[in-house]
Amino acid sequence: MSDKYQQIAQILCNITNQLIQQDWTYFKNIQVNNTRLKSRIGSGKATYCKHDIKAKTFTITYGKKMIKSKFSPDEVVHWLSYREIIRRNYFTGDTSLPCLLAHTVCHEFAHLIQQLSGWHKRGSIHNSGYYQILDQLHKSGLAETIKNDIVRECEAQNLELIANIQPAIVTKKTQIEVFFSVNDTVCFDYKNKTHSGTVIKVNRKTLIIRVKNLFRHSRWKVPKLLVRNSS
Ligand SMILES: [Zn+2]
């Protein structure tokens, strides 16, 4: 698997470690007595916060394949974190990758707080108490700060946070070369639906397109051959 997902997972771990080390302004009443808090990268999709009672350790695991999955428009919709952004209007419903990844950190961090504070009940994890914590992480501006940190770190490491879409079968390069420039209004088809948006970056073979819907906006990386000018 590309190193990219490993690098992004490491960025999420670093940000989580910083959160853990901060004095917890938002949750002053939580005692972290003799308990170690840490984060790690998992090799699969599983992403979770686990309490090892014997070792007195809470560990947040970010699965590398979870990150890969969030780059796929087909797969991302199956994640609870994606649905939470829409249902609870976090980031005003923006499900672009920086928001998705920042919300993933918040989701796990909220589990950590939930477990540390003893509000965790077996069989009832995503309960109203949990969502109070999660809402507070967003309302306080912490989620936004995490998003900005992720964007800054990814830019520093040249990692593009843009959803992948696979071209449908493009048989031959028979099309006449089409030139696009930034700010062009264009459209493309994906899953029987036509999306239109604005070109924000022109690469050699692909375009980065910003698509704006009623409640959210997202960025797409689309092969030029699949894009047409919309008039
Ligand atoms: Zn959860």
Side-chain angles (χ1 to χ4, degrees):
M1 188 185 293
S2 154
D3 266 346
K4 171 180 172 177
Y5 305 114
Q6 170 91 22
Q7 281 174 268
I8 294 172
Q10 189 59 55
I11 289 171
L12 300 193
C13 283
N14 294 346
I15 287 172
T16 303
N17 292 340
Q18 283 163 21
L19 284 174
I20 288 168
Q21 281 155 21
Q22 275 166 18
D23 75 308
W24 291 14
T25 325
Y26 306 110
F27 300 96
K28 279 179 190 150
N29 51 347
I30 291 173
Q31 301 291 317
V32 189
N33 294 329
N34 300 323
T35 303
R36 287 199 309 142
L37 311 174
K38 57 177 192 166
S39 60
R40 63 179 279 273
I41 300 172
S43 56
K45 271 189 186 173
T47 296
Y48 54 92
C49 175
K50 191 179 168 192
H51 184 196
D52 183 336
I53 297 169
K54 263 191 189 167
K56 290 185 176 176
T57 306
F58 280 96
T59 309
I60 291 178
T61 298
Y62 294 107
K64 208 157 69 166
K65 287 185 182 155
M66 171 277 293
I67 293 177
K68 185 179 184 210
S69 167
K70 285 189 172 159
F71 274 73
S72 157
D74 283 341
E75 291 183 29
V76 70
V77 293
H78 300 298
W79 288 94
L80 177 59
S81 51
Y82 173 89
R83 297 198 300 272
E84 281 171 347
I85 290 179
I86 292 172
R87 280 188 203 146
R88 304 185 78 82
N89 203 33
Y90 296 141
F91 298 116
T92 60
D94 182 353
T95 53
S96 59
L97 273 157
C99 297
L100 276 168
L101 295 173
H103 183 63
T104 301
V105 173
C106 290
H107 184 104
E108 296 313 323
F109 197 61
H111 278 310
L112 176 67
I113 293 165
Q114 177 191 39
Q115 293 186 37
L116 279 170
S117 53
W119 301 334
H120 172 72
K121 281 192 197 130
R122 198 173 278 275
S124 170
I125 298 167
H126 300 114
N127 52 25
S128 58
Y130 172 77
Y131 282 108
Q132 272 178 29
I133 302 168
L134 199 53
D135 286 349
Q136 201 176 340
L137 292 178
H138 279 270
K139 274 187 209 146
S140 67
L142 191 63
E144 191 68 27
T145 306
I146 293 170
K147 184 187 92 178
N148 294 338
D149 288 349
I150 290 172
V151 169
R152 198 187 51 241
E153 279 304 313
C154 286
E155 275 174 10
Q157 295 183 39
N158 243 341
L159 300 164
E160 280 189 334
L161 288 180
I162 294 165
N164 298 320
I165 79 163
Q166 296 302 322
I169 303 154
V170 177
T171 44
K172 283 178 196 163
K173 268 193 164 180
T174 46
Q175 281 102 327
I176 301 159
E177 182 75 29
V178 183
F179 293 98
F180 294 98
S181 35
V182 170
N183 289 330
D184 279 359
T185 305
V186 293
C187 55
F188 59 96
D189 294 325
Y190 181 68
K191 299 202 108 187
N192 300 323
K193 203 180 156 199
T194 301
H195 299 266
S196 59
T198 310
V199 176
I200 55 173
K201 193 177 169 201
V202 179
N203 299 319
R204 202 164 58 85
K205 287 184 178 171
T206 61
L207 298 174
I208 308 300
I209 299 168
R210 184 186 175 87
V211 175
K212 203 166 187 184
N213 296 325
L214 191 53
F215 298 113
R216 63 190 187 98
H217 53 80
S218 50
R219 286 177 173 204
W220 298 70
K221 185 189 233 174
V222 186
K224 280 181 183 172
L225 289 174
L226 300 182
V227 177
R228 35 188 211 279
N229 278 307
S230 54
S231 46

